[in-house]
Amino acid sequence: NAGVMQNPRHLVRRRGQEARLRCSPMKGHSHVYWYRQLPEEGLKFMVYLQKENIIDESGMPKERFSAEFPKEGPSILRIQQVVRGDSAAYFCASSRGYQETQYFGPGTRLLVL
Amino acid sequence: AQTVTQSQPEMSVQEAETVTLSCTYDTSENNYYLFWYKQPPSRQMILVIRQEAYKQQNATENRFSVNFQKAAKSFSLKISDSQLGDTAMYFCAFPTESVNFGNEKLTFGTGTRLTIIP
């Protein structure tokens, strides 16, 4: 059973460009979460989605960030007009449902030049 | 607000020794669960162990076990017979209370950097 897949693993963008991060949950998992980890810090929640629905986006910056989890295909975290402060590791996790364990993908390391 | 505190930023032990990492939390919930995750140098987040608050028995996974003290809101991780591969950051995590959305998002502690010395 494949784990949570994320791609790309590393992404380099220049200031002002767009970053698009993809996450494929584990088979049978319908809940997806995105977390951000700044250097030398713990993970911080960003957004929680189920198929075609954003359930909780209380951790998302108000501007430039958006997320989706379409009926078909991976979940996508999109960062528009990236700035240097967006440089971080972005982790996706998935679970089977409410109060189930979240399993993490390998993360996408975003570097903004 | 729910908080998770890890008071040991760094620890190191000799290979084969036992080490205990501490974690305290604050919640008004009665039915909840807690996790320990490890993050080795590869930066992958790996589940170590899960504890259900309603269970009196402490969770165990091979060399990893917890000491869960519900009244004290303490959730420590014990690693027995430590191995070089245990070198990692260890994070305690707890579902954050959310009235509108249910307890789904995890709040992480600041982590403990554990080094196993050969």
Side-chain angles (χ1 to χ4, degrees):
Chain A
N1 187 11
V4 179
M5 309 290 286
Q6 288 189 251
N7 67 81
R9 297 289 301 274
H10 300 272
L11 184 61
V12 180
R13 286 286 180 265
R14 296 191 180 279
R15 281 178 296 171
Q17 292 184 319
E18 178 179 291
R20 195 171 289 235
L21 289 61
R22 294 175 183 77
C23 168
S24 296
M26 288 178 68
K27 187 176 181 181
H29 287 197
S30 58
H31 296 220
V32 166
Y33 316 80
W34 286 92
Y35 295 84
R36 177 165 65 175
Q37 185 179 34
L38 296 172
E40 303 303 318
E41 294 188 10
L43 277 69
K44 295 290 193 323
F45 169 81
M46 299 182 73
V47 62
Y48 159 43
L49 310 100
Q50 296 177 25
K51 284 287 188 181
E52 300 184 279
N53 285 302
I54 297 174
I55 307 300
D56 181 357
E57 57 181 348
S58 58
M60 288 274 272
K62 293 288 186 281
E63 298 178 350
R64 302 186 299 108
F65 285 71
S66 63
E68 63 176 8
F69 188 18
K71 187 177 180 181
E72 300 291 338
S75 175
I76 295 175
L77 179 67
R78 183 182 177 208
I79 311 172
Q80 296 177 289
Q81 299 177 326
V82 297
V83 301
R84 289 215 173 117
D86 296 332
S87 294
Y90 292 82
F91 288 91
C92 169
S94 73
S95 74
R96 286 184 300 183
Y98 184 63
Q99 293 193 337
E100 294 286 338
T101 297
Q102 294 180 30
Y103 293 91
F104 283 81
T108 294
R109 273 86 187 162
L110 172 65
L111 175 62
V112 179
L113 302 177
Chain B
Q2 292 166 303
T3 59
V4 180
T5 302
Q6 293 181 253
S7 59
Q8 304 152 311
E10 294 189 24
M11 296 185 73
S12 60
V13 296
Q14 294 287 141
E15 189 176 7
E17 289 186 349
T18 295
V19 60
T20 299
L21 310 182
S22 66
C23 173
T24 58
Y25 59 94
D26 186 28
T27 183
S28 57
E29 297 288 311
N30 188 51
N31 183 24
Y32 53 91
Y33 47 100
L34 300 124
F35 300 100
W36 279 97
Y37 286 91
K38 65 182 279 189
Q39 188 175 42
S42 67
R43 304 296 301 278
Q44 170 86 41
M45 288 293 290
I46 301 168
L47 175 70
V48 176
I49 205 163
R50 168 175 170 145
Q51 173 75 46
E52 314 291 332
Y54 70 86
K55 289 185 176 178
Q56 292 187 336
Q57 186 174 12
N58 288 325
T60 299
E61 287 288 339
N62 301 314
R63 297 181 295 107
F64 298 86
S65 61
V66 300
N67 182 7
F68 176 50
Q69 303 288 333
K70 189 174 182 180
K73 296 181 182 175
S74 170
F75 180 57
S76 61
L77 176 69
K78 186 173 84 170
I79 307 174
S80 303
D81 185 27
S82 57
Q83 300 175 359
L84 296 180
D86 296 333
T87 292
M89 281 289 285
Y90 286 81
F91 293 98
C92 178
F94 180 78
T96 301
E97 183 177 291
S98 176
V99 173
N100 294 326
F101 309 115
N103 293 350
E104 295 294 348
K105 54 189 176 185
L106 295 177
T107 293
F108 287 81
T110 51
T112 295
R113 186 180 303 277
L114 177 65
T115 302
I116 308 302
I117 303 167

